[in-house]
Amino acid sequence: MLRALSPYAWSAPVLLTMGAVLVGPWAYSLDLSFYSWSPLREAPPRFVGVANYLATLADPLFQQALATTLTLVVAAVALEFVLGFGAALLLMLPVRGKPFFQTVFLIPMMITPAVVGLVWRVLLHDELGLVNWALRSLGLPAVGWLSDPSVTLLTILLIEVWQHTPFVILVLGAGLATVPTELIEAARVDGAAPRQVLRHIMIPWLSAIIVVVLLFRMIFVLRTFDTIYALFRSGGPAQAGTTIGVYLYETLRVHWNLGQASAVSYLILLLTVLASAGFALRTWRRAAA
């Protein structure tokens, strides 16, 4: 009996620590989401039920932030996958100086998002930025990257793709390195074109890795915040760059309503779980068919 319980006794400290660090705060924030409370007011927390959730869902700014986030997720994940897969395929070729290019491609991924936002804030400055200087030098009109609401989402998308495509290159490149050369050589002997080798050998071989890459990128884009806030110090001009992550921060920083902020965080968690589960199930069923 004691021998059967010994594994649980050895793991008890880890489980208790995880419970205190993870489960405890989650339970507290979930309970707090049903209260209206601001630490700036002397009034005690007041139970309001699901009012925080309903108020958030009815807020036009939250609806705009949700639409912006979903648009960014679809566009960023699609571009990162296409560009990353293409670059990973190119890096399989016997190119001279390939280690140098591999290192250069991975640099953006190593920079923290806040620093990325600050660097691009300087580069995209309307008057003094290097990007607009280059456009003017080519005889092209300058773009209000940080001031024009019509290009705000495009600006965020380009920075997101620039920073995180290397992750796709790294993972898919590692996966391509595991494809058996015997399969590729046999297909070529049978007269298969490169496009057919890619479609019928490489992509099926990488199907599980592709699902993981897309899931990781979708989850991380859904919670995008730090790059945007470092870039605009807000949700951008006319709130055009407000994602649900930025909305959560503004709810807490501006209104200091911890109850509604907790409700927003759980709505983000619910959206992430639903999107991830739906995407994973659909992709795995298609791969197994």
Side-chain angles (χ1 to χ4, degrees), residues 16-157:
L16 291 174
T17 302
M18 291 182 62
V21 175
L22 296 177
V23 180
W26 285 349
Y28 174 74
S29 61
L30 178 62
D31 178 66
L32 190 60
S33 68
F34 298 105
Y35 288 83
S36 175
W37 178 56
S38 171
L40 300 182
R41 298 193 299 265
E42 295 182 359
R46 179 171 56 89
F47 181 78
V48 294
V50 295
N52 288 326
Y53 292 91
L54 297 177
T56 300
L57 293 174
D59 187 356
L61 182 57
F62 177 79
Q63 297 170 7
Q64 176 186 334
L66 181 60
T68 300
T69 303
L70 295 179
T71 303
L72 184 62
V73 167
V74 173
V77 173
L79 283 174
E80 289 168 12
F81 176 75
V82 172
L83 295 176
F85 197 15
L89 290 172
L90 290 175
L91 289 174
M92 290 183 64
L93 301 175
V95 181
R96 187 175 181 180
K98 184 165 65 173
F100 169 77
F101 290 109
Q102 290 174 327
T103 304
V104 170
F105 284 162
L106 295 180
I107 289 177
M109 186 181 69
M110 305 300 177
I111 309 174
T112 58
V115 174
V116 168
L118 292 174
V119 170
W120 281 101
R121 181 179 176 87
V122 174
L123 293 175
L124 297 176
H125 191 276
D126 291 354
E127 299 297 332
L128 305 176
L130 183 61
V131 175
N132 276 342
W133 173 84
L135 292 176
R136 294 190 191 98
S137 300
L138 296 173
L140 299 175
V143 179
W145 302 103
L146 304 180
S147 58
D148 186 353
S150 64
V151 298
T152 297
L153 187 57
L154 176 62
T155 302
I156 298 171
L157 175 62

